[in-house]
């Protein structure tokens, strides 16, 4: 290929470097999470596991992309020119941006509304976006999954997650 900087392999390299930088930034941000004395599992434990995955796959993609750019033939599938992202025409990009915005709203609502309510809203909206229309199923999944996850974190892992107006559930759970 004449111009490797326009290839899919080069686009993969750029994306991998950006995700590597994001992973390094997230790792240092996780240092600022509150520490829980006497608990083996810290609030930063799960994010750090996810960050490790992001870092490992980013490094793997960097290595693969550099190797492809070095040894690429004209008929290689990664030698094709990378498509540019047109946010106006590409519905999947718009949907991805909406999910990112929803996650930002989730973070904003996390402390005042609590984990269960903010997760409920996020799940409902995302399930509607992906085409679910069975309202009973949507409500049950959106409510039960966050409640069970909260119970696991609260009771088994001893991680105190904000509950907002549902804080009375902590008192109920302590009696069990």
């Amino acid at each position: 290929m004449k111009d490797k900087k326009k290839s899919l392999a080069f686009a993969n390299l750029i994306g991998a470097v950006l995700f590597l930088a994001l992973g390094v930034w997230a790792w240092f941000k996780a240092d600022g999470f509150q520490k829980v004395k006497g608990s083996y599992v810290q609030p930063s434990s799960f994010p750090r596991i996810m960050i490790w995955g992001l870092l490992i796959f980013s490094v793997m993609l960097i290595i693969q992309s550099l190797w492809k750019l070095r040894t690429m033939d004209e008929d290689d599938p990664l030698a094709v020119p990378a498509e540019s992202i047109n946010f106006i025409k590409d519905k999947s990009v718009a949907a991805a941006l909406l999910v990112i915005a929803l996650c930002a709203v989730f973070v904003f609502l996390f402390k005042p509304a609590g984990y269960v309510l903010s997760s409920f809203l996020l799940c409902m909206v995302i399930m509607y976006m992906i085409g679910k229309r069975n309202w009973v199923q949507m409500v049950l999944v959106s409510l039960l999954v966050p409640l069970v996850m909260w119970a696991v974190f609260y009771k088994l892992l001893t991680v105190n997650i904000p509950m907002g107006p549902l804080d009375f559930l902590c008192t109920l759970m302590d009696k069990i």
Side-chain angles (χ1 to χ4, degrees):
M1 177 173 200
K2 294 178 184 177
D3 192 5
K4 291 184 178 184
K5 288 186 178 178
K6 292 184 179 179
S7 70
L8 193 55
F10 188 75
N12 286 347
L13 177 64
I14 298 299
V17 169
L18 290 174
F19 280 117
L20 182 68
L22 176 68
V24 170
W25 173 81
W27 183 267
F28 287 109
K29 290 302 281 185
D31 277 337
F33 288 5
Q34 178 183 2
K35 304 283 190 265
V36 178
K37 289 185 179 181
S39 178
Y40 178 72
V41 178
Q42 295 294 321
S44 64
S45 298
F46 182 72
R48 288 232 165 124
I49 291 169
M50 300 305 290
I51 292 166
W52 268 112
L54 179 65
L55 294 173
I56 289 168
F57 286 114
S58 294
V59 168
M60 289 172 53
L61 187 57
I62 287 171
I63 293 168
Q64 177 194 23
S65 299
L66 288 172
W67 180 259
K68 277 292 183 181
L69 286 169
R70 189 170 173 263
T71 62
M72 190 165 35
D73 294 334
E74 290 286 330
D75 59 341
D76 195 306
L78 292 176
V80 298
E83 296 180 26
S84 64
I85 299 173
N86 185 344
F87 292 99
I88 296 169
K89 293 182 181 179
D90 194 348
K91 290 182 182 179
S92 61
V93 172
L97 291 174
L98 180 59
V99 169
I100 290 170
L102 288 171
C103 289
V105 169
F106 174 80
V107 170
F108 179 74
L109 291 175
F110 191 76
K111 277 195 178 181
Y115 170 73
V116 174
L117 290 179
S118 55
S119 296
F120 174 80
L121 291 172
L122 181 69
C123 287
M124 286 290 289
V125 172
I126 289 178
M127 288 175 77
Y128 185 82
M129 282 177 54
I130 63 172
K132 296 289 183 193
R133 296 298 184 266
N134 182 340
W135 290 98
V136 173
Q137 180 187 26
M138 289 171 62
V139 168
L140 285 175
V141 168
S142 297
L143 187 60
L144 292 177
V145 170
L147 274 173
V148 169
M149 288 179 63
W150 168 77
V152 167
F153 274 89
Y154 187 74
K155 227 23 181 173
L156 296 178
L157 302 175
T158 63
V159 175
N160 198 5
I161 297 174
M163 289 298 285
L166 299 179
D167 201 35
F168 68 91
L169 291 175
C170 294
T171 308
L172 289 175
M173 188 62 89
D174 288 338
K175 291 180 181 180
I176 295 176

